[in-house]
Coordinates of all heavy atoms in Angstrom, one line a residue:
M1 N -12.6 -13.4 -25.8 CA -12.0 -12.1 -25.5 C -10.9 -12.3 -24.5 O -11.1 -12.9 -23.4 CB -13.0 -11.2 -25.1 CG -12.5 -9.8 -24.9 SD -13.9 -8.5 -24.7 CE -14.1 -8.7 -22.9
E2 N -9.7 -11.8 -24.7 CA -8.6 -11.9 -23.8 C -8.8 -10.9 -22.6 O -9.2 -9.8 -22.8 CB -7.3 -11.5 -24.5 CG -6.1 -11.7 -23.5 CD -4.8 -11.5 -24.3 OE1 -4.7 -11.7 -25.5 OE2 -3.8 -11.1 -23.6
P3 N -8.7 -11.4 -21.4 CA -8.9 -10.5 -20.2 C -7.8 -9.5 -20.2 O -6.7 -9.6 -20.8 CB -8.7 -11.5 -19.0 CG -8.0 -12.7 -19.6 CD -8.3 -12.8 -21.0
T4 N -8.1 -8.4 -19.6 CA -7.1 -7.3 -19.5 C -5.9 -7.7 -18.7 O -6.1 -8.3 -17.6 CB -7.8 -6.1 -18.8 OG1 -8.9 -5.7 -19.6 CG2 -6.8 -4.9 -18.7
R5 N -4.7 -7.5 -19.2 CA -3.5 -8.0 -18.5 C -3.1 -6.8 -17.6 O -3.1 -5.7 -17.9 CB -2.4 -8.3 -19.5 CG -2.8 -9.5 -20.4 CD -1.8 -9.8 -21.4 NE -0.9 -10.8 -20.7 CZ 0.2 -11.3 -21.3 NH1 0.5 -11.0 -22.5 NH2 0.9 -12.2 -20.7
C6 N -2.7 -7.2 -16.4 CA -2.2 -6.3 -15.4 C -0.7 -6.3 -15.5 O 0.0 -7.3 -15.3 CB -2.7 -6.8 -14.0 SG -1.9 -5.9 -12.7
I7 N -0.1 -5.1 -15.8 CA 1.3 -5.0 -15.9 C 2.1 -5.3 -14.6 O 3.1 -5.9 -14.6 CB 1.8 -3.6 -16.5 CG1 3.3 -3.6 -16.8 CG2 1.4 -2.5 -15.5 CD1 3.7 -4.6 -17.8
F8 N 1.5 -5.0 -13.5 CA 2.1 -5.3 -12.2 C 2.2 -6.8 -12.0 O 3.2 -7.4 -11.6 CB 1.4 -4.7 -11.1 CG 1.5 -3.2 -11.0 CD1 0.6 -2.4 -10.3 CD2 2.5 -2.5 -11.7 CE1 0.7 -1.0 -10.3 CE2 2.6 -1.1 -11.7 CZ 1.7 -0.4 -11.0
C9 N 1.1 -7.5 -12.4 CA 1.2 -9.0 -12.2 C 2.2 -9.6 -13.2 O 2.8 -10.6 -12.9 CB -0.2 -9.6 -12.4 SG -1.3 -9.3 -11.0
E10 N 2.3 -9.0 -14.4 CA 3.2 -9.5 -15.4 C 4.7 -9.3 -14.9 O 5.5 -10.2 -15.1 CB 3.1 -8.7 -16.7 CG 1.7 -9.0 -17.4 CD 1.6 -10.5 -17.8 OE1 2.4 -11.0 -18.5 OE2 0.6 -11.1 -17.4
I11 N 4.9 -8.2 -14.2 CA 6.3 -8.0 -13.7 C 6.5 -8.9 -12.5 O 7.6 -9.6 -12.4 CB 6.4 -6.5 -13.2 CG1 6.5 -5.6 -14.4 CG2 7.6 -6.3 -12.3 CD1 6.4 -4.1 -14.1
V12 N 5.5 -9.1 -11.6 CA 5.7 -10.0 -10.5 C 6.0 -11.4 -11.0 O 6.8 -12.2 -10.4 CB 4.4 -10.0 -9.6 CG1 4.4 -11.1 -8.6 CG2 4.4 -8.6 -8.9
A13 N 5.3 -11.8 -12.1 CA 5.5 -13.2 -12.6 C 6.7 -13.3 -13.4 O 7.1 -14.4 -13.9 CB 4.3 -13.6 -13.4
G14 N 7.4 -12.2 -13.7 CA 8.7 -12.3 -14.5 C 8.4 -12.3 -16.0 O 9.3 -12.6 -16.8
R15 N 7.2 -12.0 -16.4 CA 6.8 -12.0 -17.9 C 7.0 -10.6 -18.5 O 6.9 -10.5 -19.7 CB 5.4 -12.5 -18.1 CG 5.2 -14.0 -17.7 CD 3.8 -14.4 -18.1 NE 2.8 -13.8 -17.3 CZ 2.2 -14.3 -16.2 NH1 2.6 -15.4 -15.7 NH2 1.3 -13.6 -15.6
A16 N 7.2 -9.6 -17.7 CA 7.5 -8.3 -18.2 C 8.8 -7.8 -17.5 O 9.0 -8.1 -16.3 CB 6.3 -7.3 -17.9
P17 N 9.6 -7.1 -18.3 CA 10.9 -6.6 -17.7 C 10.7 -5.5 -16.7 O 9.8 -4.7 -16.8 CB 11.6 -6.1 -18.9 CG 10.6 -5.7 -19.9 CD 9.4 -6.6 -19.7
A18 N 11.5 -5.5 -15.6 CA 11.5 -4.5 -14.6 C 12.8 -4.6 -13.8 O 13.4 -5.6 -13.7 CB 10.3 -4.7 -13.7
A19 N 13.2 -3.4 -13.3 CA 14.4 -3.4 -12.5 C 14.0 -3.6 -11.1 O 13.7 -2.6 -10.3 CB 15.2 -2.1 -12.7
I20 N 13.9 -4.9 -10.7 CA 13.4 -5.2 -9.3 C 14.6 -4.9 -8.3 O 15.7 -5.4 -8.5 CB 13.0 -6.7 -9.3 CG1 11.7 -6.9 -10.1 CG2 12.7 -7.1 -7.8 CD1 11.3 -8.3 -10.3
V21 N 14.3 -4.2 -7.3 CA 15.3 -3.8 -6.3 C 15.1 -4.5 -5.0 O 16.0 -4.5 -4.2 CB 15.3 -2.2 -6.1 CG1 15.7 -1.5 -7.4 CG2 14.0 -1.7 -5.6
W22 N 13.9 -5.0 -4.8 CA 13.6 -5.7 -3.5 C 12.4 -6.6 -3.7 O 11.5 -6.2 -4.4 CB 13.4 -4.7 -2.4 CG 13.1 -5.3 -1.1 CD1 14.0 -5.8 -0.2 CD2 11.8 -5.6 -0.5 NE1 13.3 -6.4 0.9 CE2 12.0 -6.2 0.7 CE3 10.5 -5.3 -1.0 CZ2 10.9 -6.6 1.5 CZ3 9.4 -5.7 -0.2 CH2 9.7 -6.4 1.0
E23 N 12.4 -7.7 -3.0 CA 11.2 -8.5 -3.1 C 11.1 -9.4 -1.8 O 12.1 -9.7 -1.2 CB 11.1 -9.4 -4.3 CG 12.2 -10.3 -4.6 CD 12.2 -11.0 -5.9 OE1 11.1 -11.4 -6.3 OE2 13.2 -11.0 -6.6
S24 N 9.9 -9.7 -1.5 CA 9.6 -10.6 -0.4 C 8.6 -11.6 -0.8 O 8.1 -11.6 -2.0 CB 9.1 -9.8 0.8 OG 7.8 -9.3 0.6
A25 N 8.1 -12.4 0.1 CA 7.1 -13.4 -0.2 C 5.7 -12.7 -0.6 O 4.9 -13.2 -1.3 CB 6.8 -14.4 0.9
E26 N 5.6 -11.5 -0.1 CA 4.3 -10.8 -0.3 C 4.4 -9.6 -1.3 O 3.3 -9.2 -1.9 CB 3.8 -10.3 1.0 CG 3.4 -11.4 2.0 CD 2.9 -10.8 3.3 OE1 3.6 -10.2 4.0 OE2 1.7 -11.0 3.5
F27 N 5.6 -9.0 -1.4 CA 5.6 -7.7 -2.2 C 6.8 -7.7 -3.1 O 7.8 -8.4 -2.9 CB 5.7 -6.5 -1.2 CG 4.6 -6.5 -0.2 CD1 4.9 -6.7 1.1 CD2 3.3 -6.2 -0.6 CE1 3.9 -6.7 2.1 CE2 2.3 -6.2 0.4 CZ 2.6 -6.5 1.7
V28 N 6.8 -6.9 -4.1 CA 7.9 -6.6 -5.0 C 8.0 -5.1 -5.3 O 7.0 -4.4 -5.5 CB 7.6 -7.3 -6.4 CG1 8.7 -7.0 -7.4 CG2 7.5 -8.8 -6.2
A29 N 9.3 -4.7 -5.2 CA 9.6 -3.2 -5.4 C 10.5 -3.2 -6.7 O 11.4 -3.9 -6.8 CB 10.3 -2.6 -4.2
F30 N 10.1 -2.2 -7.6 CA 10.9 -2.1 -8.8 C 10.9 -0.6 -9.2 O 10.1 0.2 -8.7 CB 10.4 -2.9 -9.9 CG 8.9 -2.8 -10.1 CD1 8.4 -1.9 -11.0 CD2 8.0 -3.6 -9.5 CE1 7.1 -1.7 -11.3 CE2 6.6 -3.5 -9.7 CZ 6.2 -2.5 -10.6
L31 N 11.9 -0.2 -10.0 CA 12.0 1.1 -10.5 C 11.0 1.5 -11.5 O 10.7 0.7 -12.4 CB 13.4 1.4 -11.1 CG 14.6 1.2 -10.2 CD1 15.9 1.3 -11.0 CD2 14.6 2.3 -9.1
D32 N 10.4 2.6 -11.3 CA 9.4 3.1 -12.3 C 10.1 3.4 -13.6 O 11.2 4.0 -13.6 CB 8.7 4.4 -11.7 CG 7.5 4.8 -12.5 OD1 7.6 4.9 -13.8 OD2 6.5 5.0 -11.9
H33 N 9.5 3.0 -14.7 CA 10.2 3.2 -16.0 C 10.0 4.6 -16.5 O 10.7 5.0 -17.4 CB 9.7 2.2 -17.0 CG 8.4 2.4 -17.6 ND1 7.2 2.1 -16.9 CD2 8.0 3.0 -18.8 CE1 6.2 2.5 -17.7 NE2 6.7 3.0 -18.8
Q34 N 9.2 5.4 -15.8 CA 9.1 6.8 -16.1 C 9.1 7.6 -14.7 O 8.1 8.1 -14.3 CB 7.8 7.1 -16.8 CG 7.7 6.6 -18.2 CD 6.4 7.0 -18.9 OE1 5.3 7.0 -18.3 NE2 6.6 7.3 -20.2
P35 N 10.3 7.6 -14.1 CA 10.5 8.1 -12.8 C 10.2 9.6 -12.7 O 10.6 10.3 -13.6 CB 11.9 7.8 -12.4 CG 12.6 7.7 -13.7 CD 11.6 7.1 -14.7
I36 N 9.5 10.0 -11.7 CA 9.3 11.5 -11.5 C 10.5 12.1 -10.7 O 10.6 13.3 -10.7 CB 8.0 11.8 -10.8 CG1 7.9 11.1 -9.5 CG2 6.8 11.4 -11.7 CD1 6.6 11.5 -8.7
Q37 N 11.3 11.2 -10.1 CA 12.5 11.7 -9.5 C 13.4 10.4 -9.4 O 13.0 9.3 -9.5 CB 12.3 12.3 -8.2 CG 11.7 11.4 -7.1 CD 11.4 12.2 -5.8 OE1 11.8 13.3 -5.7 NE2 10.7 11.5 -4.9
P38 N 14.8 10.6 -9.3 CA 15.7 9.5 -9.1 C 15.3 8.6 -8.0 O 14.9 9.0 -6.9 CB 17.0 10.1 -8.9 CG 16.9 11.5 -9.5 CD 15.5 11.9 -9.2
G39 N 15.3 7.3 -8.2 CA 15.0 6.3 -7.2 C 13.5 6.1 -7.0 O 13.0 5.5 -6.1
H40 N 12.7 6.6 -8.0 CA 11.2 6.4 -7.9 C 10.9 4.9 -8.0 O 11.1 4.3 -9.0 CB 10.6 7.2 -9.0 CG 9.1 7.1 -9.0 ND1 8.3 7.6 -10.0 CD2 8.2 6.5 -8.2 CE1 7.0 7.4 -9.8 NE2 6.9 6.7 -8.7
L41 N 10.4 4.4 -6.8 CA 10.1 2.9 -6.8 C 8.6 2.7 -6.8 O 7.8 3.6 -6.3 CB 10.6 2.3 -5.5 CG 12.1 2.3 -5.2 CD1 12.4 1.6 -3.9 CD2 12.8 1.5 -6.3
L42 N 8.2 1.6 -7.3 CA 6.8 1.1 -7.2 C 6.9 -0.1 -6.3 O 7.7 -1.0 -6.5 CB 6.2 0.8 -8.5 CG 6.1 2.0 -9.5 CD1 5.6 1.5 -10.9 CD2 5.3 3.1 -9.0
L43 N 6.0 -0.2 -5.3 CA 5.9 -1.4 -4.4 C 4.5 -1.9 -4.6 O 3.5 -1.2 -4.4 CB 6.1 -0.9 -3.0 CG 5.9 -2.0 -1.9 CD1 7.0 -3.1 -2.1 CD2 6.0 -1.4 -0.5
V44 N 4.5 -3.2 -5.1 CA 3.2 -3.8 -5.3 C 3.1 -5.2 -4.6 O 4.1 -5.8 -4.3 CB 3.0 -4.0 -6.8 CG1 3.0 -2.7 -7.6 CG2 4.0 -5.0 -7.4
P45 N 1.8 -5.5 -4.3 CA 1.6 -6.9 -3.7 C 1.8 -7.9 -4.8 O 1.5 -7.7 -5.9 CB 0.2 -6.8 -3.1 CG -0.5 -5.8 -4.0 CD 0.6 -4.8 -4.4
R46 N 2.2 -9.1 -4.4 CA 2.3 -10.2 -5.3 C 0.9 -10.7 -5.8 O 0.7 -11.1 -6.9 CB 3.0 -11.4 -4.7 CG 4.5 -11.2 -4.6 CD 5.2 -12.5 -4.2 NE 6.7 -12.2 -4.1 CZ 7.5 -12.3 -5.1 NH1 7.1 -12.6 -6.3 NH2 8.8 -12.0 -4.9
E47 N -0.1 -10.5 -4.9 CA -1.5 -10.9 -5.3 C -2.1 -9.7 -6.0 O -1.9 -8.5 -5.7 CB -2.3 -11.2 -4.1 CG -2.6 -10.0 -3.2 CD -3.6 -10.3 -2.1 OE1 -4.8 -10.5 -2.3 OE2 -3.1 -10.4 -0.9
H48 N -2.9 -10.0 -7.0 CA -3.5 -8.9 -7.8 C -4.6 -8.2 -7.0 O -5.4 -8.9 -6.4 CB -4.1 -9.4 -9.1 CG -4.8 -8.4 -9.9 ND1 -4.2 -7.5 -10.7 CD2 -6.1 -8.1 -9.8 CE1 -5.1 -6.7 -11.2 NE2 -6.3 -7.0 -10.7
V49 N -4.6 -6.9 -7.0 CA -5.8 -6.2 -6.6 C -6.0 -5.1 -7.6 O -5.1 -4.5 -8.1 CB -5.6 -5.6 -5.2 CG1 -5.6 -6.6 -4.1 CG2 -4.3 -4.8 -5.1
D50 N -7.3 -4.8 -7.8 CA -7.6 -3.7 -8.8 C -7.3 -2.3 -8.1 O -7.0 -1.4 -8.8 CB -9.1 -3.7 -9.2 CG -9.3 -4.9 -10.2 OD1 -8.4 -5.3 -10.9 OD2 -10.5 -5.4 -10.2
Y51 N -7.4 -2.3 -6.8 CA -7.3 -1.0 -6.1 C -6.6 -1.3 -4.8 O -6.9 -2.3 -4.1 CB -8.7 -0.5 -5.8 CG -8.9 0.9 -5.3 CD1 -8.2 1.9 -6.0 CD2 -9.6 1.1 -4.2 CE1 -8.4 3.2 -5.5 CE2 -9.8 2.4 -3.7 CZ -9.1 3.5 -4.4 OH -9.3 4.7 -3.9
L52 N -5.5 -0.6 -4.6 CA -4.7 -0.8 -3.4 C -5.4 -1.0 -2.1 O -5.1 -1.8 -1.3 CB -3.6 0.3 -3.3 CG -2.5 0.1 -2.3 CD1 -1.7 -1.2 -2.6 CD2 -1.7 1.3 -2.2
F53 N -6.5 -0.2 -2.0 CA -7.2 -0.2 -0.7 C -8.1 -1.5 -0.6 O -8.8 -1.6 0.5 CB -8.1 1.1 -0.6 CG -7.2 2.3 -0.6 CD1 -7.2 3.1 -1.7 CD2 -6.3 2.5 0.4 CE1 -6.4 4.3 -1.8 CE2 -5.4 3.6 0.3 CZ -5.5 4.5 -0.7
E54 N -8.1 -2.4 -1.6 CA -8.8 -3.6 -1.4 C -8.0 -4.7 -0.6 O -8.5 -5.7 -0.2 CB -9.0 -4.3 -2.8 CG -10.0 -3.5 -3.7 CD -10.1 -4.1 -5.1 OE1 -9.4 -5.0 -5.4 OE2 -11.0 -3.5 -5.8
L55 N -6.7 -4.4 -0.4 CA -5.9 -5.3 0.4 C -6.5 -5.4 1.8 O -6.9 -4.5 2.4 CB -4.5 -4.8 0.5 CG -3.6 -4.9 -0.7 CD1 -2.2 -4.2 -0.4 CD2 -3.3 -6.4 -1.0
E56 N -6.4 -6.7 2.3 CA -6.9 -6.9 3.7 C -6.0 -6.1 4.7 O -4.8 -5.9 4.4 CB -6.9 -8.4 4.0 CG -7.8 -9.2 3.1 CD -9.3 -8.9 3.4 OE1 -9.6 -8.6 4.6 OE2 -10.1 -8.9 2.4
A57 N -6.5 -5.8 5.8 CA -5.9 -4.9 6.7 C -4.4 -5.4 7.1 O -3.5 -4.5 7.0 CB -6.7 -4.8 8.0
P58 N -4.2 -6.6 7.5 CA -2.8 -6.9 7.8 C -1.8 -6.7 6.7 O -0.7 -6.1 6.8 CB -2.8 -8.4 8.2 CG -4.2 -8.6 8.6 CD -5.0 -7.8 7.7
R59 N -2.2 -7.1 5.5 CA -1.3 -7.0 4.3 C -1.2 -5.5 3.9 O -0.1 -5.1 3.5 CB -1.8 -7.8 3.2 CG -0.8 -7.8 2.0 CD -0.9 -8.9 1.1 NE -0.5 -10.1 1.8 CZ -0.8 -11.3 1.4 NH1 -1.5 -11.5 0.3 NH2 -0.4 -12.4 2.1
Y60 N -2.3 -4.8 4.0 CA -2.2 -3.4 3.7 C -1.2 -2.6 4.6 O -0.4 -1.8 4.1 CB -3.6 -2.8 3.9 CG -3.7 -1.3 3.6 CD1 -3.9 -0.9 2.3 CD2 -3.7 -0.4 4.6 CE1 -3.9 0.5 2.0 CE2 -3.8 1.0 4.4 CZ -3.9 1.4 3.0 OH -4.0 2.7 2.8
R61 N -1.3 -2.9 5.9 CA -0.3 -2.3 6.8 C 1.1 -2.8 6.5 O 2.0 -2.0 6.5 CB -0.7 -2.7 8.3 CG -1.8 -1.9 8.8 CD -1.9 -2.1 10.3 NE -2.1 -3.5 10.7 CZ -3.2 -4.1 10.9 NH1 -4.3 -3.5 10.7 NH2 -3.2 -5.4 11.2
D62 N 1.3 -4.0 6.2 CA 2.6 -4.6 5.9 C 3.2 -3.8 4.6 O 4.4 -3.5 4.6 CB 2.6 -6.1 5.6 CG 2.3 -6.9 6.8 OD1 2.4 -6.3 7.9 OD2 2.0 -8.1 6.7
L63 N 2.3 -3.6 3.6 CA 2.8 -2.9 2.4 C 3.3 -1.5 2.8 O 4.4 -1.1 2.4 CB 1.7 -2.8 1.4 CG 2.1 -2.1 0.1 CD1 1.5 -2.8 -1.1 CD2 1.6 -0.6 0.1
W64 N 2.6 -0.8 3.6 CA 3.1 0.6 4.0 C 4.3 0.5 4.9 O 5.1 1.4 4.8 CB 1.9 1.4 4.6 CG 0.9 1.8 3.5 CD1 -0.3 1.2 3.3 CD2 1.2 2.7 2.4 NE1 -0.9 1.8 2.2 CE2 0.0 2.7 1.6 CE3 2.3 3.5 2.1 CZ2 -0.1 3.5 0.5 CZ3 2.1 4.3 1.0 CH2 1.0 4.3 0.2
D65 N 4.4 -0.5 5.7 CA 5.6 -0.7 6.5 C 6.8 -0.9 5.6 O 7.9 -0.3 5.8 CB 5.5 -1.9 7.5 CG 4.6 -1.6 8.7 OD1 4.2 -0.4 8.9 OD2 4.2 -2.6 9.3
C66 N 6.6 -1.7 4.6 CA 7.7 -1.9 3.6 C 8.1 -0.6 2.9 O 9.2 -0.3 2.7 CB 7.3 -3.0 2.6 SG 7.3 -4.7 3.3
A67 N 7.0 0.1 2.5 CA 7.3 1.3 1.7 C 8.1 2.3 2.6 O 9.0 3.0 2.1 CB 6.0 2.0 1.3
Q68 N 7.7 2.4 3.9 CA 8.5 3.3 4.7 C 9.9 2.9 4.9 O 10.8 3.7 4.8 CB 7.8 3.3 6.1 CG 8.4 4.3 7.1 CD 7.7 4.3 8.4 OE1 7.3 3.2 8.9 NE2 7.5 5.5 9.0
K69 N 10.2 1.6 5.0 CA 11.5 1.1 5.2 C 12.3 1.2 3.9 O 13.5 1.5 3.9 CB 11.5 -0.4 5.7 CG 11.1 -0.4 7.1 CD 10.8 -1.8 7.6 CE 10.3 -1.8 9.1 NZ 9.7 -3.0 9.5
L70 N 11.7 1.0 2.8 CA 12.4 1.1 1.5 C 12.7 2.6 1.2 O 13.7 2.9 0.5 CB 11.5 0.6 0.3 CG 11.4 -1.0 0.3 CD1 10.3 -1.4 -0.7 CD2 12.7 -1.6 -0.1
A71 N 12.0 3.5 1.8 CA 12.2 4.9 1.5 C 13.5 5.4 2.2 O 14.1 6.4 1.8 CB 11.0 5.7 1.9
I72 N 13.8 4.8 3.3 CA 15.0 5.3 4.1 C 16.3 5.4 3.3 O 16.9 6.4 3.3 CB 15.2 4.4 5.4 CG1 14.0 4.6 6.3 CG2 16.5 4.7 6.1 CD1 13.9 3.6 7.5
P73 N 16.7 4.3 2.6 CA 17.9 4.5 1.8 C 17.8 5.5 0.7 O 18.8 6.0 0.2 CB 18.3 3.1 1.3 CG 17.0 2.3 1.4 CD 16.2 3.0 2.6
L74 N 16.6 5.7 0.2 CA 16.4 6.7 -0.9 C 16.6 8.1 -0.5 O 16.9 9.0 -1.3 CB 15.0 6.5 -1.5 CG 14.6 5.2 -2.1 CD1 13.2 5.1 -2.5 CD2 15.6 4.9 -3.3
K75 N 16.6 8.4 0.8 CA 16.8 9.7 1.3 C 18.3 10.0 1.4 O 18.7 11.1 1.5 CB 16.2 9.9 2.7 CG 14.7 9.9 2.6 CD 14.1 10.1 4.0 CE 12.5 10.2 3.9 NZ 11.9 10.4 5.2
K76 N 19.1 8.9 1.4 CA 20.6 9.1 1.4 C 21.1 9.2 0.0 O 20.6 8.5 -0.9 CB 21.2 7.9 2.1 CG 20.8 7.7 3.5 CD 21.4 6.4 4.1 CE 20.8 6.1 5.5 NZ 21.2 4.8 6.0
P77 N 22.1 10.1 -0.2 CA 22.6 10.1 -1.6 C 23.2 8.8 -2.0 O 24.1 8.2 -1.4 CB 23.8 11.2 -1.5 CG 23.4 12.0 -0.2 CD 22.7 11.0 0.7
R78 N 22.6 8.3 -3.1 CA 23.1 7.0 -3.7 C 23.1 5.8 -2.7 O 23.9 4.9 -2.8 CB 24.4 7.1 -4.3 CG 24.4 8.1 -5.5 CD 25.8 8.1 -6.2 NE 25.8 9.0 -7.3 CZ 26.1 10.3 -7.2 NH1 26.4 10.9 -6.0 NH2 26.0 11.1 -8.3
G79 N 22.3 5.9 -1.7 CA 22.3 4.8 -0.7 C 21.7 3.5 -1.3 O 20.7 3.6 -1.9
P80 N 22.3 2.4 -1.0 CA 21.8 1.2 -1.5 C 20.6 0.7 -0.7 O 20.5 1.0 0.5 CB 23.0 0.2 -1.4 CG 23.8 0.8 -0.2 CD 23.6 2.3 -0.3
I81 N 19.8 -0.1 -1.3 CA 18.7 -0.7 -0.6 C 19.2 -2.1 -0.1 O 19.8 -2.9 -0.8 CB 17.5 -0.9 -1.5 CG1 17.0 0.5 -1.9 CG2 16.4 -1.8 -0.9 CD1 15.8 0.4 -2.9
A82 N 19.0 -2.3 1.2 CA 19.5 -3.5 1.8 C 18.8 -4.7 1.2 O 17.6 -4.7 0.8 CB 19.2 -3.5 3.3
S83 N 19.5 -5.8 1.0 CA 18.9 -7.0 0.5 C 18.1 -7.8 1.5 O 17.4 -8.7 1.1 CB 20.1 -7.9 -0.1 OG 21.0 -8.3 0.9
E84 N 18.3 -7.5 2.7 CA 17.5 -8.2 3.7 C 16.1 -7.6 3.8 O 15.8 -6.5 3.3 CB 18.2 -8.0 5.1 CG 18.3 -6.6 5.5 CD 19.4 -6.5 6.6 OE1 20.5 -6.9 6.4 OE2 19.1 -5.9 7.6
S85 N 15.2 -8.3 4.5 CA 13.8 -7.9 4.6 C 13.8 -6.6 5.4 O 14.5 -6.4 6.4 CB 13.0 -8.9 5.3 OG 13.0 -10.1 4.5
P86 N 12.9 -5.6 5.0 CA 12.8 -4.4 5.7 C 12.0 -4.7 7.0 O 11.4 -5.6 7.2 CB 12.0 -3.5 4.8 CG 11.3 -4.3 3.9 CD 12.1 -5.6 3.7
Ligands
LIG101 ZN1 -2.3 -7.5 -11.1

């Protein structure tokens, strides 16, 4: 029986298409393919977790720090996301 495939891991590995807008050694951010508003991003860890709250404390905090920094240009009209680390 084939294990259930995780679409986020497929995107992180480059096996599934996604409009990646930012990435680091730990996280990848890409546009949601069914956005609820313009600029709707998904930020996921490179390591698989079934549930976001399973992330260890330092990485969990880092993810939310990245989410906060990635949200800043989204508040500006058509603001680009910096290519440098947030
Ligand atoms: Zn996964």
Side-chain angles (χ1 to χ4, degrees):
M1 186 169 84
E2 184 176 334
T4 302
R5 299 180 87 179
C6 169
I7 186 60
F8 293 160
C9 287
E10 295 298 304
I11 289 171
V12 166
R15 293 188 294 265
I20 294 174
V21 297
W22 179 84
E23 57 188 316
S24 71
E26 295 182 292
F27 307 110
V28 177
F30 49 92
L31 294 172
D32 192 308
H33 75 284
Q34 292 183 321
I36 57 173
Q37 61 184 354
H40 181 184
L41 294 181
L42 298 178
L43 175 64
V44 301
R46 286 188 181 276
E47 70 173 287
H48 175 85
V49 289
D50 286 334
Y51 191 51
L52 189 60
F53 301 111
E54 292 175 356
L55 284 173
E56 296 294 325
R59 184 157 294 163
Y60 180 81
R61 282 191 304 268
D62 290 347
L63 182 136
W64 288 107
D65 285 348
C66 287
Q68 183 180 42
K69 290 171 182 167
L70 289 168
I72 292 170
L74 296 176
K75 291 181 178 179
K76 300 175 186 173
R78 296 184 180 88
I81 294 175
S83 60
E84 60 199 53
S85 297

